[in-house]
Amino acid sequence: MPLALGPKLRYLVGRARRIDIGSVIERAKEAHDQHGKAVPAVVVDMLWSAAKHDVAFQDYVDYDFAMLTKQERATFMTHPVSMQLAARFSKPEGRAIFEDKIAFNKRFADHLRREWMVVTDDNAEEVRAFVERHGTVIAKVPVSHMGLGVRRYHAADVEDWAGFHKRLLESDEILLEEVIRQHDDIAAYCPGTVNTTRIVAFFDGTDVHIIAVAQKFGRGAVSDQMSYGGFYTMLDPETGHALSAGYDSHGHVHETHPDSGLRIADFQLPRFDEAVALIDRAARVVPEVQYAGWDVVVTNDGVDLVEGNWGVGVYENKPSVSGVRTGNKPRYRAAMGF
């Protein structure tokens, strides 16, 4: 089933209007520094790849397209293609559940292993009891993206509970959650951040297909997203073992975790089969969203579902780090039939 021409044309028109040639040149310089290709040639190649093959400029850099052949490039999923697929395989009523963290927690309550509550105008005492019981809590803005709108609060730091309750309401940080206690093997890499696993899956109406798995690592901040200094490595989708060192979209490669010194390529996700089984169940709950990126945290006792993302971010192999010059697009095609 080919991708619809209309969405692609709208994407190209929108991208042409927003193009920042200075940004393109900066990314081309990154490719030059990494692979020795002439900047003008890279700029032309980037623009052609975007127009002809739906390759975002950052995808071009992240996936080392400057060092790959045409055939190798064709094996990588890109953000523009992923977004077209997300639009095709989701409906507005399903997206609304995924976009609102409170609605998501309510719908997926059976798959959550942590306590949570909603801050309202009249529950200041309940908020105090919740925070004091857990000691440290995570506060979230219900509708936010890329790990933004997430803060960590400690009961010991709160002197004015009425004022604290008021600030939560005013900042729209109205979803409070117990801090997930991650598995000891994961905490060994970075105990200061809850390190999530991204599992990309597709529900075809009968079976759930696991397409790609990435392990994210934080740097001690409240989130493991790149905007907080985090990075990731791809995991073998059959075993849950790391395929290479870690990397991010800022040119940083991590052979070891900068804080713990543990080797990223040695990482094995504990309870991997349980994580896959959880997604097999969760992916069926909202059939209006067939294609999603699921974030889970493995604990000593099981696997906790953090959130689902209908606008699926792409996590791919980085050839210059792993030595593997192919991506996951064939797995997407086999599962989704495009």
Side-chain angles (χ1 to χ4, degrees):
M1 183 189 305
L3 290 173
L5 183 60
K8 178 174 180 177
L9 290 176
R10 286 193 292 273
Y11 165 78
L12 290 173
V13 170
R15 191 63 186 270
R17 289 173 177 169
R18 300 189 306 271
I19 191 169
D20 180 349
I21 193 63
S23 177
V24 175
I25 292 173
E26 285 303 312
R27 288 182 170 88
K29 289 179 178 178
E30 290 183 47
H32 165 76
D33 293 341
Q34 294 175 21
H35 307 293
K37 298 294 181 69
V39 171
V42 174
V43 169
V44 172
D45 193 25
M46 289 177 71
L47 294 172
W48 172 254
S49 297
K52 180 67 175 178
H53 301 293
D54 289 331
V55 179
F57 301 139
Q58 193 63 51
D59 292 339
Y60 186 101
V61 176
D62 287 348
Y63 311 149
D64 298 322
F65 271 28
M67 65 178 279
L68 301 181
T69 66
K70 177 181 177 181
Q71 291 73 23
E72 291 167 341
R73 294 179 180 188
T75 67
F76 283 80
M77 176 53 67
T78 66
H79 282 83
V81 173
S82 180
M83 286 308 301
Q84 292 177 57
L85 292 169
R88 172 190 289 185
F89 290 110
S90 64
K91 298 178 181 178
E93 57 269 30
R95 298 175 195 171
I97 295 170
F98 281 65
E99 289 173 350
D100 186 321
K101 293 177 174 59
I102 295 174
F104 183 89
N105 280 13
K106 290 179 178 178
R107 188 65 174 268
F108 289 88
D110 290 344
H111 304 290
L112 273 58
R113 304 175 67 91
R114 62 194 180 280
E115 264 196 275
W116 60 278
M117 68 170 295
V118 178
V119 182
T120 61
D121 291 338
D122 58 354
N123 68 349
E125 286 304 313
E126 288 88 343
V127 166
R128 177 174 183 169
F130 184 87
V131 178
E132 288 187 330
R133 182 168 68 255
H134 293 294
T136 301
V137 299
I138 302 299
K140 298 179 179 179
V141 175
V143 180
S144 63
H145 304 281
M146 299 176 62
L148 303 177
V150 179
R151 294 186 66 181
R152 186 162 45 197
Y153 290 104
H154 307 285
D157 296 333
V158 181
E159 298 179 354
D160 177 5
W161 285 100
F164 175 71
H165 178 258
K166 181 180 179 181
R167 287 195 302 274
L168 290 176
L169 289 170
E170 290 176 344
S171 59
D172 198 31
E173 296 172 354
I174 60 172
L175 174 58
L176 298 184
E177 296 187 340
E178 172 188 5
V179 177
I180 301 172
R181 311 300 174 184
Q182 62 191 338
H183 194 283
D184 292 342
D185 291 352
I186 305 175
Y189 279 81
C190 179
T193 300
V194 176
N195 305 284
T196 61
T197 306
R198 168 62 61 90
I199 301 178
V200 178
F202 179 74
F203 176 47
D204 66 11
T206 302
D207 298 317
V208 175
H209 304 267
I210 304 301
I211 299 174
V213 185
Q215 180 61 43
K216 294 182 275 186
F217 294 97
R219 294 295 313 280
V222 68
S223 171
D224 57 14
Q225 296 282 0
M226 290 185 199
S227 54
Y228 289 85
F231 59 94
Y232 73 95
T233 188
M234 298 304 295
L235 303 185
D236 185 320
E238 306 300 330
T239 68
H241 194 280
L243 294 177
S244 73
Y247 41 88
D248 60 22
S249 290
H250 308 294
H252 304 125
V253 176
H254 300 286
E255 294 288 343
T256 61
H257 194 285
D259 303 320
S260 65
L262 293 180
R263 189 168 178 265
I264 300 300
D266 291 337
F267 180 82
Q268 170 66 51
L269 183 68
R271 297 179 176 270
F272 177 69
D273 290 343
E274 292 180 44
V276 170
L278 171 62
I279 298 311
D280 186 84
R281 297 191 301 272
R284 304 169 188 272
V285 174
V286 182
E288 294 85 1
V289 175
Q290 295 176 258
Y291 172 46
W294 303 90
D295 286 337
V296 304
V297 175
V298 176
T299 73
N300 288 332
D301 302 317
V303 185
D304 196 353
L305 180 63
V306 177
E307 66 180 11
N309 301 272
W310 77 266
V312 188
V314 178
Y315 292 78
E316 268 286 13
N317 170 54
K318 189 171 181 63
S320 64
V321 175
S322 67
V324 179
R325 299 171 67 100
T326 53
N328 287 302
K329 200 169 187 178
R331 294 180 63 87
Y332 284 82
R333 289 188 184 279
M336 306 171 77
F338 70 95

